Amino acid sequence: KGQPEYQDTAAFARFMGFFGQATNSVSLFFSLVGTSFVIRRLGLATTLLLFPVMLFCILCIVGLSPTLDVFFFALVFVKGLSYALNKPSVEMLYFATSDTIKFKSKSWSDVFGARGAKALGSVITDILRSSMTSLIQYGGLASMVVNAVLMVIAIAMGRKFNELQEEGIIVGGDPTATAKSDDLEMRPFTAAGSSSEADEEDGEMKA
């Protein structure tokens, strides 16, 4: 009696191992070849929007052909894009924030946001697990709604990031320190040299 259970467990372990290898391989490929290239070519705002757009396309493909092979490759592709494209783009948004804001926002998003989203997905899956047709229909609908919200957020965050970069504003930073750093960046090196020479001349006159 224990043999079929062992075979099922072993088969599941092999499947998850193959899934992990495929996901990490896709993520590594995108990280080495595509991440920096896409961000440089398209910009951060467009790259942030690229993930929900591609996710929408994948959801449409899964809805049109809900087979196990399609589900597998869709999950691998989504996981790979998330690790190699979406997460690096989201991390770059913190360039426009201070260390304090970054610490607080990352703590909330990583702990509450990510875990809450996974918990909500698990609840929907558990409720609809008795019917695969209902799971595909209503689960796909919920995914579409979440993806639409993600798309709106990506557009808003991309525009806001570009505005902050153009104005040189750091969210949560000290405006006085920012103004001083901008003033120092605007001073040419010769100006510092002329001021030091003036100090030397003053010292010679005093001597």
Side-chain angles (χ1 to χ4, degrees):
K1 291 182 179 180
Q3 187 66 19
E5 294 180 358
Y6 174 78
Q7 290 178 355
D8 292 340
T9 304
F12 180 74
R14 285 195 297 270
F15 172 77
M16 292 303 297
F18 179 68
F19 175 75
Q21 292 176 1
T23 301
N24 292 327
S25 299
V26 172
S27 301
L28 179 62
F29 175 78
F30 275 112
S31 299
L32 295 177
V33 177
T35 303
S36 60
F37 175 79
V38 171
I39 294 176
R40 286 199 306 267
R41 279 299 183 90
L42 302 180
L44 183 59
T46 307
T47 305
L48 286 171
L49 186 60
L50 186 63
F51 178 75
V53 170
M54 298 185 73
L55 184 59
F56 174 79
C57 296
I58 293 173
L59 289 173
C60 292
I61 294 173
V62 171
L64 294 174
S65 180
T67 62
L68 183 60
D69 292 336
V70 173
F71 274 114
F72 177 81
F73 287 107
L75 284 175
V76 169
F77 194 69
V78 169
K79 284 282 187 180
L81 285 178
S82 176
Y83 291 141
L85 190 64
N86 187 54
K87 288 189 176 181
S89 302
V90 172
E91 290 293 327
M92 290 183 65
L93 291 175
Y94 293 112
F95 290 167
T97 63
S98 64
D99 293 337
T100 303
I101 298 297
K102 178 180 179 181
F103 175 77
K104 293 180 179 179
S105 58
K106 277 185 67 66
S107 299
W108 187 91
S109 61
D110 293 345
V111 176
F112 179 79
R115 302 304 174 186
K118 290 181 179 180
L120 179 61
S122 299
V123 169
I124 295 175
T125 303
D126 185 64
I127 294 174
L128 303 174
R129 64 180 179 178
S130 59
S131 175
M132 183 59 65
T133 303
S134 299
L135 179 60
I136 294 174
Q137 291 178 353
Y138 295 107
L141 180 61
S143 300
M144 285 290 187
V145 172
V146 174
N147 188 62
V149 174
L150 179 61
M151 192 174 299
V152 173
I153 294 175
I155 294 173
M157 294 302 297
R159 290 178 178 176
K160 189 63 177 179
F161 179 83
N162 289 338
E163 292 177 2
L164 293 174
Q165 289 294 298
E166 291 176 359
E167 297 175 2
I169 298 175
I170 301 297
V171 178
D174 186 7
T176 305
T178 305
K180 290 181 179 179
S181 61
D182 293 339
D183 182 59
L184 289 175
E185 289 177 358
M186 293 177 63
R187 292 181 183 178
F189 178 78
T190 54
S194 61
S195 62
S196 61
E197 290 175 358
D199 293 339
E200 292 177 359
E201 291 178 358
D202 293 339
E204 292 177 356
M205 290 177 64
K206 291 180 180 179

